[in-house]
Amino acid sequence: MAAYALRRGFLSSVSKYSRKHAHRILSISDTNSGFEAYKPRLQCRACGLLSGTQHRRFMSSRNRPEGKILETVGVFEAVKQHGKYETGQLFLHSVFGYRGIVLFPWHARLYDRDITPPVSDSKSEPLITHGSKEVKGKTHTYYQVLIDTRDCPHISQRSQTEAVTFLANHDDSRALYAIPGLDYVSHEDILPYNSTEQIPIQHELFERFLMYNPAKSPPFTARDTLKAWQEKNHPWLELSDVHRETTENIRVTVIPFYMGMREAQNSHVYWWRYCIRLENLGNEVVQLRERHWRIFSLSGTLETVRGRGVVGREPVLSKEQPAFQYSSHVSLQAPSGHMWGTFRIERSDGSHFDVRIPPFSLESNKDDKAPPAGYTF
């Protein structure tokens, strides 16, 4: 039985595919194009089971004056339970529903507070103590990916499509730049597919970084420009630690990134960005109402931040649209610190509960970071 949905209901369709193995997914693809860096003002402090089914086709319909025309865009492949996906792998995001392509993998340490580590493990990673609980770091694969620009407008209410930001390297020390359409994707987020199109993803970086090679599988291989870009820019791209915790069926995942140091009024200011995903693993409809952060600096200061929502939004998490992802930034006048806190969640009956944000470290690198190579703004 085919499961049909327009792009505004695309996320629901992907969830149904995951649970019911629907053969087809229908969506609207807008012709949104362009790659532009922009310069917002830096916000200080805390802001505001999948299984593979081969030969399953999913569809896309393009907006045209004469109406919506359904077009096959790919065929699902078997999901990899082990190993990793290669550069050039096309995929559908299992949570947010966008089309994307893998640029390269990262090996991160995942600190999952929902998992109790074994009593003895000779190959265990260092333990992190958060309160009274020790959390074992486990190696997990994440991917740097490109998002199809046609899909960005349809996921903008559920996920920011500017997950990669960096500091500018000029006199304006408050300048912040973002590269649209880059994301970090966990291994289990990927629903792999293949396509007969030589340019299946619309993104300005696609043809700069990848080329079509039908002799390969997947048939898109890295250009030298991608390899050089990765090598030069890994300090500000690199994903190292991931922290995860679930409270009352609401899972919070945090990924911190060190962005660099800037001098301001004869002192050093260290900047980090952090990506946060909230997921509703239950059936109850809930809404994020407030955030409460505690920010500790190695300099000895402890700051409390309270506010409505996050990044100006109060997202609703439901069974149909269970996730919300955003990025924010924080600065310290010390090279390291910690952050932790809670999100105040409201149920449909008006009652509230607090969801824990797993504590995570803010660690700086010894060397200051240069801006991304290959870009002039």
Side-chain angles (χ1 to χ4, degrees):
M1 177 65 68
Y4 300 98
L6 296 179
R7 172 60 68 179
R8 63 176 180 270
F10 194 32
L11 178 62
S12 175
S13 298
V14 176
S15 300
K16 291 177 182 177
Y17 170 79
S18 303
R19 291 191 289 267
K20 299 181 181 179
H21 309 285
H23 291 216
R24 295 182 181 182
I25 297 174
L26 299 176
S27 63
I28 296 174
S29 293
D30 287 337
T31 55
N32 184 32
S33 61
F35 171 79
E36 296 181 358
Y38 63 91
K39 176 182 172 183
R41 305 311 295 174
L42 201 59
Q43 290 182 320
C44 179
R45 300 291 177 254
C47 319
L49 297 298
L50 298 182
S51 61
T53 306
Q54 290 183 318
H55 308 299
R56 302 301 197 208
R57 293 177 178 239
F58 60 97
M59 314 287 286
S60 173
S61 63
R62 302 182 184 278
N63 282 336
R64 295 179 179 177
E66 65 271 19
K68 301 177 178 65
I69 307 300
L70 301 182
E71 298 176 348
T72 302
V73 296
V75 178
F76 281 115
E77 299 176 341
V79 172
K80 285 189 176 182
Q81 303 298 332
H82 305 286
K84 68 177 186 297
Y85 296 102
E86 302 296 328
T87 295
Q89 176 65 59
L90 294 167
F91 70 93
L92 194 69
H93 197 294
S94 65
V95 176
F96 297 111
Y98 64 72
R99 288 164 290 178
I101 192 166
V102 171
L103 294 181
F104 43 80
W106 294 114
H107 295 295
R109 292 186 301 274
L110 173 61
Y111 297 98
D112 194 338
R113 292 173 61 85
D114 301 327
I115 298 176
T116 303
V119 176
S120 61
D121 186 350
S122 58
K123 296 182 180 180
S124 63
E125 302 241 354
L127 297 178
I128 290 183
T129 302
H130 291 156
S132 59
K133 186 174 183 178
E134 291 185 330
V135 184
K136 176 189 171 185
K138 178 182 179 181
T139 301
H140 194 68
T141 303
Y142 281 73
Y143 300 93
Q144 195 87 59
V145 306
L146 290 182
I147 303 173
D148 195 311
T149 56
R150 294 168 293 184
D151 296 342
C152 289
H154 307 294
I155 63 171
S156 61
Q157 294 302 311
R158 289 287 147 190
S159 177
Q160 290 180 336
T161 56
E162 290 81 31
V164 175
T165 56
F166 57 95
L167 296 172
N169 188 27
H170 53 66
D171 293 338
D172 183 0
S173 61
R174 290 177 56 82
L176 174 71
Y177 288 93
I179 300 180
L182 281 180
D183 198 7
Y184 295 89
V185 176
S186 175
H187 184 82
E188 60 268 21
D189 289 337
I190 287 182
L191 292 173
Y193 74 91
N194 60 60
S195 172
T196 58
E197 296 184 43
Q198 294 189 18
I199 306 178
I201 300 297
Q202 290 190 11
H203 193 293
E204 185 173 346
L205 293 178
F206 180 86
E207 292 187 84
R208 297 186 193 179
F209 285 168
L210 298 160
M211 59 183 171
Y212 182 70
N213 184 351
K216 292 280 191 176
S217 181
F220 305 100
T221 57
R223 296 183 184 272
D224 290 340
T225 50
L226 175 59
K227 298 174 183 177
W229 187 76
Q230 178 186 6
E231 181 179 353
K232 292 178 181 178
N233 300 312
H234 74 85
W236 62 273
L237 288 172
E238 186 171 7
L239 178 157
S240 57
D241 293 343
V242 179
H243 304 266
R244 191 160 67 191
E245 184 171 2
T246 304
T247 307
E248 296 195 34
N249 286 325
I250 305 299
R251 182 165 66 189
V252 179
T253 303
V254 183
I255 308 175
F257 299 84
Y258 176 60
M259 296 176 64
M261 180 270 293
R262 291 290 181 267
E263 294 186 9
Q265 298 179 348
N266 298 322
S267 65
H268 291 168
V269 179
Y270 299 83
W271 286 93
W272 290 263
R273 77 177 183 272
Y274 54 91
C275 299
I276 291 185
R277 185 196 293 185
L278 295 99
E279 295 176 87
N280 185 353
L281 306 181
N283 297 323
E284 188 176 17
V285 178
V286 298
Q287 185 170 11
L288 189 156
R289 289 299 191 184
E290 299 176 6
R291 68 189 186 278
H292 177 201
W293 283 103
R294 305 275 280 179
I295 306 168
F296 174 76
S297 170
L298 187 64
S299 62
T301 61
L302 179 63
E303 183 177 358
T304 298
V305 178
R306 291 182 180 271
R308 295 285 296 182
V310 290
V311 291
R313 302 184 191 178
E314 297 180 24
V316 174
L317 305 177
S318 64
K319 189 176 181 180
E320 291 71 30
Q321 300 208 11
F324 180 79
Q325 180 173 295
Y326 74 97
S327 299
S328 190
H329 306 86
V330 64
S331 66
L332 301 177
Q333 291 186 327
S336 63
H338 286 82
M339 288 181 66
W340 67 97
T342 57
F343 292 125
R344 176 63 56 90
I345 305 295
E346 183 179 3
R347 300 184 180 94
S348 55
D349 62 4
S351 61
H352 297 82
F353 63 96
D354 287 334
V355 169
R356 291 184 296 276
I357 304 170
F360 57 96
S361 299
L362 301 172
E363 300 293 342
S364 64
N365 297 349
K366 292 182 180 180
D367 298 326
D368 193 21
K369 297 187 175 182
Y375 290 97
T376 301
F377 302 99

